[in-house]
């Protein structure tokens, strides 16, 4: 034991002599310097676009039953698998640091060289790589302890370091606050940092400082734009910019209905100002649909924004909140339908609850989840599932939209199965709402749809 302590002390002394760049993986906190803070501070002061990603080991069912030795070995395996994945997925110069923040939390600091859309909190390419790292870590740990496979998950969340903060906030404080934001987003807990974020969200709601985008839903028979899904963005450059974070935090803060009331108001104003005649899809939770003032709020918005009508509006019921009383929800939908509103159920095929909603609520339209559509051309079981949903929809006399279509091959499967409509990057990305005379870009999409549909049919 004494010999091991001497070896450890000698190893630490040797590492103290190394430059920071050689200590990016799990560096110790020296008394005289903190390599992680120094490495991050250098990138931020250079104006680099940096992100913090939290990887949290969620294995609470088994952790309490383990001895300290078993848990230490497990954490060592996590450190090893995370390092292997990060070095294989990212270029070495882009990795700022990887370290263990707490007993179950690991942090990756990364510089991103990918350009990002204004609508993204995290660039799409970076988020895809981070998702792969999370999956690598989960698979690696499941292989290390196969008996824990069903009791172990890895949750992750990424946040950007705010631009222009290097001169005003010490890097150590910035690192701590960014970790707290990522922790709250990953776990749903409210921290002091998130309390300040709640105040920011309240200001957003008071000032109405949200923006709306639209992604077209394409008719796969004619190639025309069938309708528009309205997408929401919070203030650019903040954690609240991206819709998942915005709506999840609004739910945690009990401000969800206020936010959805504002989204409906802003969306209908934008749609009316551009004289959009096609159907529009507004995402709404069961919580807000059940609000006693929501129907009157929507009707007032329509009245102020003539010639919009209720017949133009589909409410897309999202699964952010479960429906606990289907009888009550059916009555609510009946009241809305009496005014002409229609309903779509989102995420069909992603789980039992969405299928239950379809059976209970009998929507006018079903939106098939992107998890079913992704690689539907390569995975036979996904094509079978999609065919079953199409058959059920026809029996129910409701229409179908396939979400998340990203490739020509995926679109060809939709043509083959005669899916009604498609939505996704293959057709068009989300954009600001367009006037009718600004839609020349969709002529090319229409021609492509008609061409591919003809090839599949032949």
């Amino acid at each position: 034991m004494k010999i091991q302590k001497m070896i450890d002390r000698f190893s630490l002394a040797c590492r103290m002599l190394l430059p920071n760049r050689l200590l990016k993986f799990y560096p110790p906190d020296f008394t005289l310097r903190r390599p992680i803070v120094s490495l991050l501070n250098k990138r931020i002061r250079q104006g680099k676009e940096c992100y913090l990603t939290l990887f949290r080991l969620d294995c609470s069912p088994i952790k309490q039953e383990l001895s300290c030795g078993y848990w230490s070995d497990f954490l060592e395996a996590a450190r090893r698998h995370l390092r292997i994945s990060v070095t294989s997925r990212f270029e070495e110069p882009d990795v700022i640091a990887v370290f263990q923040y707490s007993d179950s939390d690991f942090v990756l600091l990364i510089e991103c060289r990918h350009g990002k859309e204004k609508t993204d909190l995290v660039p799409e390419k970076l988020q895809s790589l981070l998702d792969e790292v999370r999956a690598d870590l989960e698979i690696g740990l499941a292989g290390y302890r196969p008996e824990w496979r069903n009791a172990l998950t890895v949750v992750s969340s990424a946040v950007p370091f705010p631009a222009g903060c290097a001169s005003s906030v010490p890097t150590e404080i910035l690192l701590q606050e960014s970790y707290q934001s990522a922790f709250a987003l990953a776990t749903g807990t409210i921290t002091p940092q998130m309390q300040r974020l709640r105040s920011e969200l309240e200001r957003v709601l008071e000032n109405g400082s949200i923006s709306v985008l639209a992604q077209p839903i394409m008719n796969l028979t004619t190639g025309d734009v069938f309708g528009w899904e309205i997408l929401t963005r919070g203030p650019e450059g903040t954690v609240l910019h991206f819709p998942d974070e915005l709506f999840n935090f609004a739910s945690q803060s009990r401000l969800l209905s206020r936010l959805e009331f504002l989204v409906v108001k802003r969306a209908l104003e934008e749609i009316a100002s551009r004289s959009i005649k096609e159907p529009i899809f507004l995402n709404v939770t069961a919580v807000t649909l059940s609000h006693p003032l929501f129907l009157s709020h929507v009707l007032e918005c329509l009245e102020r924004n003539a010639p919009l009508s209720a017949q133009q509006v589909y409410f897309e019921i999202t699964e952010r909140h479960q429906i606990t009383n289907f009888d009550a929800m059916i009555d609510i939908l009946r009241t809305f339908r009496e005014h002409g509103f229609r309903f779509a159920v989102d995420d069909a095929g992603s789980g039992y609850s969405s299928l239950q909603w379809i059976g209970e609520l009998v929507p006018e339209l079903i939106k098939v989840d992107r998890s079913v559509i992704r690689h539907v051309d390569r995975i036979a079981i996904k094509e079978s599932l999609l065919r079953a949903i199409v058959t059920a929809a026809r029996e129910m006399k409701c229409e179908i939209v396939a979400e998340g279509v990203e490739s020509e091959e995926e679109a060809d499967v939709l043509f083959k199965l005669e899916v009604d409509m498609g939505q996704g990057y293959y057709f068009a990305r989300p954009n600001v709402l367009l006037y009718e005379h600004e839609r020349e870009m969709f002529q090319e999409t229409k021609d492509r749809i008609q061409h591919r549909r003809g090839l599949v049919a032949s």
Side-chain angles (χ1 to χ4, degrees):
M1 183 67 70
K2 289 184 178 179
I3 294 176
Q4 184 60 49
K5 287 184 177 179
M6 291 176 63
I7 293 174
D8 291 343
R9 288 174 181 172
F10 179 74
S11 176
L12 178 62
C14 291
R15 297 189 76 185
M16 288 180 65
L17 301 176
L18 295 174
N20 289 333
R21 61 183 175 80
L22 297 181
L23 294 171
K24 65 169 64 178
F25 291 100
Y26 309 109
D29 268 346
F30 303 117
T31 303
L32 300 179
R33 64 187 173 107
R34 297 195 63 191
I36 293 168
V37 174
S38 299
L39 289 166
L40 178 61
N41 182 64
K42 180 179 179 180
R43 303 289 181 105
I44 289 177
R45 292 191 178 279
Q46 290 174 345
K48 304 297 185 181
E49 191 173 302
C50 303
Y51 292 81
L52 179 148
T53 303
L54 168 66
F55 298 96
R56 182 170 176 79
L57 308 185
D58 185 0
C59 47
S60 51
I62 56 175
K63 182 179 177 182
Q64 295 178 350
E65 301 175 8
L66 301 177
S67 67
C68 292
Y70 270 109
W71 183 244
S72 296
D73 291 344
F74 182 68
L75 291 179
E76 181 57 39
R79 286 190 285 269
R80 183 172 64 254
H81 283 295
L82 182 57
R83 177 170 182 168
I84 291 171
S85 179
V86 168
T87 54
S88 65
R89 300 289 184 186
F90 291 97
E91 297 291 333
E92 190 275 337
D94 294 339
V95 179
I96 302 172
V98 177
F99 59 99
Q100 187 172 346
Y101 196 97
S102 67
D103 190 40
S104 302
D105 293 347
F106 294 84
V107 167
L108 164 65
L109 302 180
I110 197 81
E111 178 186 331
C112 181
R113 302 173 192 270
H114 304 298
K116 68 173 182 176
E117 301 282 338
K118 289 184 178 181
T119 57
D120 292 339
L121 178 68
V122 178
E124 183 181 347
K125 290 183 180 179
L126 175 59
Q127 186 61 61
S128 177
L129 290 171
L130 294 173
D131 290 342
E132 290 172 358
V133 172
R134 186 204 63 76
D136 289 344
L137 181 55
E138 199 168 73
I139 292 169
L141 291 176
Y144 174 73
R145 288 289 182 185
E147 68 274 20
W148 296 354
R149 186 183 303 273
N150 296 325
L152 167 68
T153 57
V154 178
V155 295
S156 65
S157 181
V159 296
F161 287 95
C165 58
S167 60
S168 58
V169 182
T171 303
E172 191 165 359
I173 300 300
L174 188 64
L175 178 63
Q176 181 182 7
E177 291 187 346
S178 296
Y179 163 78
Q180 289 176 337
S181 295
F183 179 90
L185 292 173
T187 65
T189 54
I190 300 296
T191 66
Q193 169 71 6
M194 299 307 280
Q195 291 286 8
R196 292 193 290 274
L197 193 57
R198 188 184 196 280
S199 299
E200 182 179 337
L201 177 56
E202 288 177 333
R203 287 194 295 272
V204 167
L205 296 175
E206 290 170 6
N207 300 330
S209 49
I210 63 166
S211 57
V212 294
L213 303 176
Q215 187 172 32
I217 296 170
M218 308 304 297
N219 184 312
L220 297 185
T221 300
T222 66
D224 294 319
V225 174
F226 168 80
W228 306 86
E229 179 176 357
I230 302 302
L231 306 171
T232 308
R233 298 293 183 267
E236 190 173 344
T238 72
V239 173
L240 297 176
H241 177 67
F242 209 57
D244 284 347
E245 284 71 22
L246 175 64
F247 283 94
N248 287 340
F249 185 69
S251 177
Q252 296 164 19
S253 305
R254 300 183 180 180
L255 295 171
L256 181 60
S257 288
R258 280 184 60 188
L259 174 59
E260 293 190 322
F261 272 56
L262 175 61
V263 169
V264 168
K265 177 178 180 292
R266 179 60 51 78
L268 294 180
E269 289 172 349
E270 294 281 330
I271 291 161
S273 71
R274 287 163 177 76
S275 303
I276 290 175
K277 301 179 179 63
E278 297 88 1
I280 55 172
F281 289 74
L282 299 172
N283 289 277
V284 66
T285 58
V287 170
T288 299
L289 270 176
S290 304
H291 194 289
L293 298 179
F294 184 63
L295 177 57
S296 60
H297 171 72
V298 179
L299 292 173
E300 288 172 8
C301 290
L302 287 174
E303 187 177 347
R304 288 196 301 269
N305 293 287
L308 288 180
S309 68
Q311 288 76 18
Q312 205 173 337
V313 177
Y314 282 83
F315 286 113
E316 192 171 318
I317 308 176
T318 69
E319 287 190 283
R320 291 193 188 102
H321 280 266
Q322 293 298 311
I323 297 174
T324 56
N325 187 334
F326 275 98
D327 289 338
M329 184 54 63
I330 290 169
D331 287 340
I332 291 169
L333 266 58
R334 184 184 300 115
T335 302
F336 275 82
R337 282 172 169 142
E338 288 172 355
H339 290 273
F341 296 104
R342 289 176 285 182
F343 290 89
V345 167
D346 201 8
D347 303 328
S350 64
Y352 170 75
S353 58
S354 62
L355 296 178
Q356 183 187 11
W357 288 16
I358 291 169
E360 297 282 354
L361 304 180
V362 194
E364 284 79 11
L365 186 143
I366 296 171
K367 300 195 79 175
V368 182
D369 187 68
R370 67 185 65 234
S371 64
V372 177
I373 304 304
R374 187 169 186 265
H375 301 324
V376 69
D377 56 303
R378 305 182 206 171
I379 304 174
I381 190 64
K382 289 191 175 186
E383 182 176 335
S384 298
L385 177 57
L386 178 57
R387 183 180 287 108
I389 295 173
V390 170
T391 300
R394 286 173 182 157
E395 292 179 358
M396 296 170 60
K397 293 182 172 54
C398 67
E399 297 177 293
I400 280 190
V401 175
E403 294 186 291
V405 185
E406 296 190 355
S407 71
E408 188 172 79
E409 293 76 14
E410 292 169 353
D412 285 350
V413 175
L414 305 185
F415 297 136
K416 181 175 73 172
L417 298 182
E418 297 185 345
V419 174
D420 301 310
M421 287 160 281
Q423 177 183 353
Y425 286 0
Y426 174 71
F427 304 112
R429 290 176 175 267
N431 204 338
V432 295
L433 284 156
L434 300 173
Y435 292 94
E436 192 166 357
H437 66 272
E438 297 176 319
R439 300 184 191 173
E440 297 86 356
M441 68 181 76
F442 295 116
Q443 182 60 47
E444 185 274 335
T445 305
K446 178 177 180 176
D447 294 341
R448 178 155 38 98
I449 289 172
Q450 292 178 337
H451 175 67
R452 294 304 306 178
R453 186 176 186 86
L455 288 178
V456 171
S458 62

Coordinates of all heavy atoms in Angstrom, one line a residue, residues 247 255-264 283-295 297-298 315 317-318 320-321 329 332 336:
F247 N -39.2 24.5 -24.7 CA -40.5 23.9 -24.2 C -40.3 23.0 -23.0 O -41.1 23.0 -22.1 CB -41.2 23.1 -25.3 CG -41.8 24.0 -26.3 CD1 -41.2 24.4 -27.5 CD2 -43.1 24.5 -26.1 CE1 -41.8 25.3 -28.4 CE2 -43.7 25.4 -27.0 CZ -43.1 25.7 -28.2
L255 N -44.6 27.2 -17.0 CA -44.9 28.3 -17.9 C -45.3 27.8 -19.3 O -45.3 28.6 -20.2 CB -43.7 29.3 -18.0 CG -43.3 30.0 -16.7 CD1 -42.0 30.7 -16.9 CD2 -44.4 31.0 -16.3
L256 N -45.6 26.5 -19.4 CA -45.8 25.9 -20.7 C -47.0 26.5 -21.4 O -47.0 26.9 -22.6 CB -46.0 24.4 -20.6 CG -46.2 23.7 -21.9 CD1 -45.0 23.9 -22.8 CD2 -46.4 22.2 -21.6
S257 N -48.1 26.7 -20.7 CA -49.3 27.2 -21.3 C -49.2 28.6 -21.8 O -49.6 29.0 -22.9 CB -50.6 27.1 -20.4 OG -50.9 25.7 -20.3
R258 N -48.5 29.4 -21.0 CA -48.2 30.8 -21.4 C -47.4 30.8 -22.6 O -47.7 31.7 -23.5 CB -47.5 31.6 -20.3 CG -48.3 32.1 -19.1 CD -47.5 32.9 -18.1 NE -46.9 34.1 -18.7 CZ -46.0 34.8 -18.1 NH1 -45.6 34.5 -16.9 NH2 -45.5 35.9 -18.7
L259 N -46.4 30.0 -22.7 CA -45.6 29.9 -23.9 C -46.4 29.5 -25.1 O -46.3 30.1 -26.2 CB -44.4 28.9 -23.7 CG -43.5 28.7 -25.0 CD1 -42.9 30.0 -25.5 CD2 -42.4 27.7 -24.6
E260 N -47.3 28.5 -25.0 CA -48.0 28.0 -26.1 C -49.1 29.0 -26.5 O -49.4 29.1 -27.7 CB -48.6 26.6 -25.8 CG -47.5 25.5 -25.7 CD -48.0 24.1 -25.6 OE1 -49.1 23.9 -25.0 OE2 -47.4 23.2 -26.2
F261 N -49.7 29.7 -25.6 CA -50.6 30.8 -25.9 C -49.9 31.8 -26.8 O -50.4 32.3 -27.8 CB -51.1 31.5 -24.7 CG -52.3 30.9 -24.0 CD1 -52.3 29.5 -23.7 CD2 -53.5 31.6 -23.8 CE1 -53.5 29.0 -23.1 CE2 -54.6 31.1 -23.2 CZ -54.6 29.7 -22.9
L262 N -48.7 32.2 -26.4 CA -47.9 33.2 -27.2 C -47.5 32.6 -28.6 O -47.6 33.4 -29.6 CB -46.6 33.5 -26.4 CG -45.6 34.4 -27.2 CD1 -46.3 35.8 -27.5 CD2 -44.3 34.6 -26.3
V263 N -47.2 31.4 -28.7 CA -46.8 30.8 -30.0 C -48.0 30.8 -30.9 O -47.9 31.2 -32.1 CB -46.3 29.3 -29.8 CG1 -46.2 28.6 -31.2 CG2 -45.0 29.3 -29.1
V264 N -49.2 30.5 -30.4 CA -50.4 30.5 -31.3 C -50.6 31.9 -31.8 O -50.9 32.2 -33.0 CB -51.6 30.0 -30.5 CG1 -52.9 30.3 -31.3 CG2 -51.5 28.5 -30.3
N283 N -48.2 23.0 -33.0 CA -48.0 22.0 -31.9 C -48.6 22.5 -30.6 O -48.4 23.7 -30.2 CB -46.4 21.8 -31.7 CG -45.8 21.0 -32.9 OD1 -45.9 19.8 -32.9 ND2 -45.3 21.8 -33.8
V284 N -49.2 21.6 -29.9 CA -49.8 22.0 -28.6 C -49.9 20.7 -27.7 O -50.0 19.6 -28.2 CB -51.2 22.6 -28.8 CG1 -52.2 21.5 -29.4 CG2 -51.8 23.2 -27.5
T285 N -49.7 20.9 -26.4 CA -49.7 19.8 -25.5 C -51.1 19.6 -25.0 O -52.0 20.5 -25.0 CB -48.8 20.1 -24.3 OG1 -49.2 21.3 -23.7 CG2 -47.3 20.1 -24.7
A286 N -51.4 18.4 -24.4 CA -52.7 18.2 -23.8 C -52.9 19.1 -22.6 O -54.1 19.5 -22.4 CB -52.7 16.7 -23.3
V287 N -51.9 19.6 -21.9 CA -52.0 20.5 -20.8 C -52.7 21.8 -21.3 O -53.7 22.3 -20.8 CB -50.7 20.8 -20.2 CG1 -50.8 22.0 -19.2 CG2 -50.2 19.6 -19.5
T288 N -52.2 22.4 -22.4 CA -52.7 23.6 -23.0 C -54.1 23.4 -23.6 O -54.9 24.3 -23.5 CB -51.7 24.2 -24.0 OG1 -50.5 24.5 -23.2 CG2 -52.2 25.5 -24.5
L289 N -54.3 22.3 -24.3 CA -55.6 22.0 -24.9 C -56.7 22.0 -23.8 O -57.8 22.4 -24.0 CB -55.6 20.7 -25.6 CG -55.2 20.7 -27.1 CD1 -55.2 19.3 -27.6 CD2 -56.2 21.5 -27.9
S290 N -56.3 21.6 -22.6 CA -57.3 21.5 -21.5 C -57.4 22.8 -20.8 O -58.3 22.9 -19.9 CB -56.8 20.4 -20.5 OG -56.6 19.2 -21.1
H291 N -56.6 23.8 -21.1 CA -56.7 25.1 -20.4 C -58.1 25.7 -20.7 O -58.5 25.8 -21.8 CB -55.6 26.0 -20.9 CG -55.4 27.2 -20.0 ND1 -56.3 28.3 -19.9 CD2 -54.4 27.5 -19.1 CE1 -55.9 29.2 -19.1 NE2 -54.7 28.8 -18.6
P292 N -58.8 26.2 -19.7 CA -60.2 26.7 -19.9 C -60.2 27.9 -20.8 O -61.3 28.2 -21.3 CB -60.7 27.0 -18.5 CG -59.4 27.1 -17.6 CD -58.5 26.2 -18.2
L293 N -59.1 28.6 -21.0 CA -59.1 29.9 -21.8 C -58.5 29.7 -23.2 O -58.5 30.6 -24.0 CB -58.4 31.0 -21.1 CG -59.0 31.4 -19.7 CD1 -58.1 32.5 -19.1 CD2 -60.4 31.9 -19.9
F294 N -58.0 28.4 -23.5 CA -57.3 28.3 -24.7 C -58.2 28.4 -25.9 O -57.8 29.1 -26.9 CB -56.6 26.9 -24.7 CG -55.7 26.7 -25.9 CD1 -54.6 27.5 -26.2 CD2 -56.0 25.7 -26.9 CE1 -53.8 27.3 -27.3 CE2 -55.2 25.5 -28.0 CZ -54.1 26.3 -28.2
L295 N -59.3 27.8 -25.9 CA -60.2 27.9 -27.1 C -60.6 29.3 -27.4 O -60.5 29.8 -28.5 CB -61.5 27.0 -26.9 CG -62.5 27.1 -28.0 CD1 -61.9 26.7 -29.3 CD2 -63.7 26.2 -27.7
H297 N -59.0 32.0 -26.6 CA -57.8 32.7 -27.0 C -57.5 32.4 -28.5 O -57.3 33.4 -29.2 CB -56.6 32.2 -26.2 CG -55.2 32.6 -26.7 ND1 -54.8 33.9 -26.6 CD2 -54.2 32.0 -27.4 CE1 -53.6 34.1 -27.1 NE2 -53.3 32.9 -27.6
V298 N -57.7 31.2 -29.0 CA -57.4 30.9 -30.4 C -58.5 31.6 -31.2 O -58.2 32.2 -32.3 CB -57.4 29.4 -30.6 CG1 -57.2 29.1 -32.1 CG2 -56.4 28.7 -29.8
F315 N -54.4 21.2 -35.0 CA -53.6 21.2 -33.7 C -52.9 19.8 -33.7 O -53.5 18.8 -33.7 CB -54.5 21.4 -32.5 CG -54.9 22.8 -32.3 CD1 -56.3 23.1 -32.5 CD2 -54.0 23.8 -32.0 CE1 -56.7 24.4 -32.3 CE2 -54.4 25.1 -31.9 CZ -55.8 25.4 -32.0
I317 N -51.0 17.3 -31.6 CA -50.9 17.0 -30.2 C -49.6 16.3 -29.9 O -49.3 15.3 -30.4 CB -52.1 16.1 -29.7 CG1 -53.4 16.8 -30.1 CG2 -52.0 15.9 -28.2 CD1 -54.6 15.9 -29.8
T318 N -48.8 17.0 -29.1 CA -47.4 16.4 -28.8 C -47.4 15.7 -27.5 O -48.3 15.8 -26.6 CB -46.4 17.6 -28.7 OG1 -46.7 18.3 -27.5 CG2 -46.5 18.5 -29.9
R320 N -45.3 15.9 -25.0 CA -44.6 16.5 -23.9 C -45.3 16.2 -22.6 O -44.6 16.1 -21.6 CB -44.4 18.0 -24.1 CG -43.5 18.3 -25.3 CD -43.1 19.8 -25.2 NE -42.4 20.2 -26.4 CZ -43.0 20.8 -27.5 NH1 -44.2 21.2 -27.4 NH2 -42.3 21.1 -28.5
H321 N -46.6 16.0 -22.7 CA -47.3 15.6 -21.5 C -48.3 14.5 -21.8 O -49.0 14.6 -22.9 CB -48.1 16.8 -20.9 CG -47.3 17.8 -20.1 ND1 -47.1 17.7 -18.7 CD2 -46.5 18.8 -20.4 CE1 -46.3 18.6 -18.3 NE2 -45.9 19.3 -19.3
M329 N -60.5 14.4 -22.6 CA -59.8 15.0 -23.8 C -60.7 14.8 -25.0 O -60.7 15.7 -25.9 CB -58.4 14.3 -24.0 CG -57.6 14.8 -25.1 SD -57.3 16.6 -25.1 CE -56.4 16.8 -23.5
I332 N -63.0 17.6 -25.1 CA -62.4 18.9 -25.4 C -62.2 18.9 -26.9 O -62.5 19.9 -27.6 CB -61.0 19.0 -24.7 CG1 -61.2 19.2 -23.2 CG2 -60.2 20.1 -25.3 CD1 -60.0 19.1 -22.4
F336 N -63.7 21.7 -29.8 CA -62.8 22.4 -30.9 C -63.3 22.0 -32.3 O -63.4 22.9 -33.1 CB -61.4 22.0 -30.7 CG -60.6 22.8 -29.7 CD1 -60.7 22.5 -28.3 CD2 -59.8 23.8 -30.1 CE1 -60.0 23.2 -27.4 CE2 -59.1 24.6 -29.2 CZ -59.2 24.2 -27.8

